[in-house]
Amino acid sequence: MRFRRTRLWVAGLVAFAFGFPLSEKAFAGFYNLIDSSIGLGLSIADSAGDS
């Protein structure tokens, strides 16, 4: 029973070690997407205001 618990902890640690950097990259990509969308919207609104 003790080895089963140890394996569970090791599997959780490995999943966290692999998942944490990937989630950071995914969040950075999501933030860049939102930032680009807002910038594009403001540029279009600015361009439409001048015409």
Side-chain angles (χ1 to χ4, degrees), residues 16-50:
F16 179 78
F18 281 115
F20 186 73
L22 296 176
S23 65
E24 184 179 351
K25 287 182 182 179
F27 179 73
F30 180 72
Y31 177 74
N32 288 338
L33 177 68
I34 297 298
D35 187 40
S36 297
S37 298
I38 290 172
L40 179 62
L42 290 175
S43 297
I44 290 172
D46 188 39
S47 176
D50 291 340

Side-chain angles (χ1 to χ4, degrees), residues 3-30:
F3 289 118
R4 182 177 289 184
R5 184 178 293 174
T6 304
R7 282 189 231 166
L8 181 65
W9 279 99
V10 170
L13 184 63
V14 168
F16 179 78
F18 281 115
F20 186 73
L22 296 176
S23 65
E24 184 179 351
K25 287 182 182 179
F27 179 73
F30 180 72

